[in-house]
Amino acid sequence: MVFMRFRPQLIFSSLPRSIPKPRTSPATTLAAAAAATSMAATSEDALRRALAEHQAAVDAQAEAVRALKAGGGASKADVDAAVEALKALKVEAGAAARRLQQAVGAGAGGAAREELRQAVVNTLERKLFYIPSFKIYRGVAGLYDYGPPGCRVKANVLSFWRQHFVLEENMLEVDCPCVTPEIVLKASGHVEKFTDLMVKDEKTGTCYRADHLLKDFCKEKLEKDLTLPQEKADEFKRVLAILDDLSAEELGAKIKEYGIIAPDTKNPLSDPYPFNLMFQTSIGPTGLSVGYMRPETAQGIFVNFKDLYYYNGQKLPFAAAQIGQAFRNEISPRQGLLRVREFTLAEIEHFVDPEDKSHPKFVDVADLEFLMFPRELQLSGESAKLMKLGDAVSKGTVNNETLGYFIGRVYLFLTRLGIDKGQLRFRQHLPNEMAHYAADCWDAEIECSYGWIECVGIADRSAYDLRAHSEKSGVPLVAHEKFSKPREVEKLVIVPSKKDLGLAFKGNQKMVVEALEAMSEKEALEMKSALETKGETSFKVCTLGKDVVITKKMVSIGMEKKLEHQRVFTPSVIEPSFGIGRIIYCLFEHSFYTRPSKSEEEQLNVFRFPPLVAPIKCTVFPLVKNQEFDAAAKVIAKALTTAGISHIIDTTAISIGRRYARTDEIGVPFAVTVDSTTNVTIRERDSKEQIRVDITEVASVVKQLTEGQSTWADVSAKYPAHVGPQGDQE
Ligand code: AMP
């Protein structure tokens, strides 16, 4: 959430392996090149080195050929042999360049990703899963509408989210306004710090995100400039890795150093400066009360903490949840649904005692094993590794059980939705990425054609948010632990002498008193000892912006024994924050595939959505147009409605194969084909297998399948297979 902006993909690769040095003799150079190839270097660094070696071998051999020709003394056979060797080296160098291209994604891999994205996005827009908003007015960057199937997918994802998190954990759901008064976002720090660094085209005024330009430049160099020297490649990778951590000055310096200019016009760029991403508005007609469209939903929960805590019987831990729109005036929205200016967030704030972050249900997820990318692996240039969640927590890789529990639950949520396990990893924030107050942060990143994308942030934000709102509002947002028996505690007591301070500081007395009372235990004890030894001490009063002299009679500092009946503390918060649009887009890509039509003349698009997500669970097709089949289809549709299964009847006169293809393209998992008035077929989308089921049982079979009580294998074992002509045209 706060200030943890969408980060660039970190590009690391394994450490380079050494490659034999080339020599100029054709035979030995060839051997060296062959050796280089045979090392089958897989890492990008090694491939880059191999290419450099091959290139050097080509250059050296070309030089050798020139020397042979110029010397005049070489026989024709020698020259021919050297030329042949040069040709062979060039072939090898070409192959090395292709291997590198593939590894960095600019070659076949990159093209394939681009092709996949085009196919997915075309299908999604054509089928109205989502469309650019206000299209007839040429649209607005970063704003999208969900069309009918998209709305259903989103509703299904959110309904599963409520079931998986809110229901399972008995969370307290709230629904707060999007328009938020300034004071709330001042307390949270958004007014001051929710910024991205922007640069402007100096002639046209077009704005760009400074880090995006630098990132694009480095990525393009790494992907397209295959002759990049190793040191330069390393430098660009380092820049990509620390991009989030660069100050405005450092970003500006890099942009200048690399000669980066406006991509559209090639004009020079301004220095980077911060741009606040919040949409500002005013509340009420006077224009005097400043408000903002909320950039996240979390603040609505924090400001309600006191009431929610009482609602929960003053017991910790408990979690509150909220689903709602968030608004960020992104500088240059791109990548479709991945970076937009208004999006749906689903956020959980789990409040917990900072002294006990264990979780009673952690055992339920401890055995899960998935790709984790702790910061040590990132910093040593390794890749994400399969790790058992229980081990990650017990070894301290993940800070505490509650954070671990939510990582596990997020994993289950995403994979049950249909996110591919192999393209999901949990990446720990690097120290410089994390807010200073955070105890630990992990992002669920999903790989799609745009790279690894942060889709869920899971952060232990300690007590920061509640403290900030307590301070600003003056309302203590705290929890209590009642002791069964009173406990004796030693407490620091600071008693400023207002009379003496008033005489010494007059109008500034109040500020000095407040500063004395706000001292930490350490500061107070240091002052006590200074006053006892020297009689006076210098003391910095931040609100006055200067040091003052405090004498012994101005303050009394001591430790007192007291009986306490309860402990009062500010709870820590563990916050999983889900970008619903990003999850849905990745789900679209992971679910999409094409298969040839029966005639093999065209490729048909399919979304293999699990029934849970599918926009429509079932279609009903009368095989041919006649009254009896239409009537039977209506009976089935009625039973499906009663069973609560979303469905459509398709009676268009096109072939059944075409109708199947049409529903496959929006990911409908089951199709009922009415080819008799007593029993019909049910077809499963991905296997295209069909079973024959009595008309009276259809709704209950489809219900079991879509609600997960039966699998296709279960029903296939129970009902006869249908091998018929219906699908012939598919
Ligand atoms: P943040 O508060 O920046 O950590 O964002 C929380 C989640 O919101 C991220 O994990 C993303 O999934 C999502 N998100 C952030 N910014 C955008 C955006 N501009 N467009 C779509 N989703 C976003």
Side-chain angles (χ1 to χ4, degrees), residues 1 4 328 330 338-340 343 345 454-455 577 579 582:
M1 66 165 243
M4 296 290 110
R328 298 184 186 181
E330 294 288 346
L338 297 184
R339 179 170 299 285
V340 288
F343 54 97
L345 267 181
E454 174 209 332
C455 291
S577 171
R582 286 191 184 172

Side-chain angles (χ1 to χ4, degrees), residues 173-190:
E173 189 172 349
V174 295
D175 187 357
C176 310
C178 298
V179 177
T180 309
E182 185 174 44
I183 189 162
V184 173
L185 296 160
K186 268 198 168 157
S188 64
H190 284 87

Side-chain angles (χ1 to χ4, degrees), residues 24 219-220 325 375 493 571 576 603:
T24 44
K219 280 187 83 171
E220 189 166 320
Q325 293 303 88
R375 59 175 74 104
V493 182
Q603 285 292 318

Side-chain angles (χ1 to χ4, degrees), residues 501-514:
L501 290 165
L503 283 173
F505 301 113
K506 310 227 160 39
N508 291 335
Q509 180 234 37
K510 189 166 172 271
M511 261 89 97
V512 182
V513 169
E514 280 171 0

Side-chain angles (χ1 to χ4, degrees), residues 5 111 126 166 286 314 362 434 478 522 602 612:
R5 311 279 303 121
R126 190 163 40 78
V166 180
T286 61
Q314 301 184 59
F362 181 69
M434 240 171 28
V478 290
K522 185 167 168 275
E602 57 179 323
L612 179 73

